[in-house]
Amino acid sequence: MLDISTLPLAFEFSSPGPILVKIGPLTIRWYGFLIASAVLIGVWLSQKLAKHRNVNPDLISDLSIWLVLGAIPAARIYYVLFQWSEYVQHPERIIAIWQGGIAIHGAIIGGVTAALIFAKRNQISFWQLADLVSPSLILGQAIGRWGNFFNSEAFGSPTNVPWKLHIPPENRPPELANFEYFHPTFLYESVWDLMVFALLLTLFFRSLSGKPALKTGTLSLVYLAAYSLGRFWIEGLRTDSLMLGPLRIAQVVSLLGIIFGLAGLAWLYIAKRPLPDVISTSQEDRQRR
């Protein structure tokens, strides 16, 4: 039987550090650079997809501002709340988002809330907007996960696999201080996210030819179920999960995401009924004409 731990360590990962460039008092960190890049690429992609769905791309530009204002603060608040015992002792670190510490589930909650308000104000289907944003969101998650690599955070349990990740002593949990190498869970999730991204784009462009024709909300629900499935497994490898008692919060939320996503797809394709929305079905039909 092959022992993979003896294979050449061609894929060993070691972070060069969190700082991308420093010019005088100006410091640009990888974490912030990657988040900003993910937002810009996401807006561009969603605008391209909007044109294919006959939606005004400018609407996506306006929505992106709402999403950033809703998602990033919510992602930080979510993280801080579940790490409150640490931040209550160092309140000055609460706003230090550049040091890492945001939760994608918090971002989704904040983003969905902002998108619902935006859709209602502009009288456009929330699910139509969500379908246009979902591919960009999962691509952004794939990009953003590399911020964890540069910060040497969000890694998994100790391992000796060929693609192991070296973690500096100062970043290791006290109980794992004697271990040098860990599962690169940032990489696992980034690769999973890219696969989900490819699936969503495939479904999107196949639907343009009517093979198969997708109902409004399908891409969003596939994103939710598929991402949550991967996150549930990967979270089980993490050493720094946000906890609520004995439960890993991300696994609980992921399980709910899988259930909600599959139930929504069953509602659309088995019950053959539209998803609840901020506008009526007749209004959405008129928008598509």
Side-chain angles (χ1 to χ4, degrees):
M1 184 175 180
L2 177 64
D3 181 1
I4 62 174
S5 66
T6 64
L7 294 176
L9 302 181
F11 298 101
E12 180 180 322
F13 292 92
S14 182
S15 170
I19 297 178
L20 172 60
V21 63
K22 187 171 184 179
I23 305 174
L26 176 64
T27 300
I28 299 177
R29 295 175 177 267
W30 277 106
Y31 202 88
F33 172 77
L34 289 168
I35 291 177
S37 299
V39 170
L40 293 175
I41 293 172
V43 172
W44 172 82
L45 175 61
S46 292
Q47 287 180 320
K48 293 294 184 183
L49 299 182
K51 291 180 180 179
H52 287 291
R53 285 283 180 89
N54 296 317
V55 174
N56 185 354
D58 292 338
L59 197 67
I60 300 299
S61 297
D62 295 338
L63 173 63
S64 65
I65 298 173
W66 284 68
L67 292 179
V68 170
L69 293 177
I72 293 181
R76 183 60 172 176
I77 291 170
Y78 185 101
Y79 183 86
V80 169
L81 286 178
F82 285 107
Q83 294 280 62
W84 185 245
S85 59
E86 174 186 341
Y87 284 100
V88 72
Q89 300 176 34
H90 304 281
E92 73 280 359
R93 297 181 184 175
I94 291 177
I95 62 171
I97 192 172
W98 54 88
Q99 296 179 357
I102 61 175
I104 185 59
H105 288 130
I108 292 173
I109 293 171
V112 166
T113 302
L116 282 169
I117 297 171
F118 180 87
K120 183 68 174 179
R121 284 171 58 95
N122 289 274
Q123 284 299 286
I124 186 171
S125 166
F126 163 80
W127 292 106
Q128 185 178 31
L129 291 176
D131 283 348
L132 295 174
V133 169
S134 291
S136 296
L137 175 58
I138 196 67
L139 177 60
Q141 289 172 238
I143 295 171
R145 273 301 170 196
W146 283 85
N148 298 140
F149 164 67
F150 289 105
N151 280 357
S152 293
E153 62 183 5
F155 47 87
S157 55
T159 186
N160 198 37
V161 295
W163 51 88
K164 60 193 179 183
L165 171 68
H166 178 265
I167 295 296
E170 63 272 17
N171 292 85
R172 302 171 196 164
E175 66 275 15
L176 300 175
N178 294 328
F179 293 91
E180 290 187 63
Y181 299 102
F182 300 80
H183 275 289
T185 48
F186 81 91
L187 178 65
Y188 301 163
E189 187 164 335
S190 183
V191 171
W192 180 266
D193 291 346
L194 287 174
M195 291 192 296
V196 176
F197 171 68
L199 171 62
L200 295 182
L201 278 193
T202 299
L203 291 174
F204 182 91
F205 285 107
R206 279 176 61 86
S207 71
L208 296 180
S209 61
K211 299 179 181 180
L214 296 182
K215 297 182 179 181
T216 303
T218 299
L219 287 182
S220 312
L221 295 170
V222 170
Y223 156 78
L224 183 60
Y227 167 68
S228 297
L229 180 63
R231 180 61 188 271
F232 183 87
W233 168 69
I234 294 167
E235 191 66 25
L237 297 174
R238 293 271 295 268
T239 60
D240 61 344
S241 297
L242 300 178
M243 305 294 291
L244 183 60
L247 302 175
R248 294 175 185 257
I249 294 300
Q251 285 190 317
V252 173
V253 176
S254 293
L255 184 59
L256 293 175
I258 295 169
I259 294 171
F260 183 85
L262 294 179
L265 290 171
W267 182 266
L268 282 175
Y269 290 95
I270 298 178
K272 298 185 184 301
R273 299 182 62 182
L275 297 169
D277 211 333
V278 296
I279 64 173
S280 66
T281 304
S282 59
Q283 285 177 289
E284 184 181 348
D285 289 341
R286 285 198 298 270
Q287 290 175 357
R288 286 180 173 274
R289 292 182 187 138

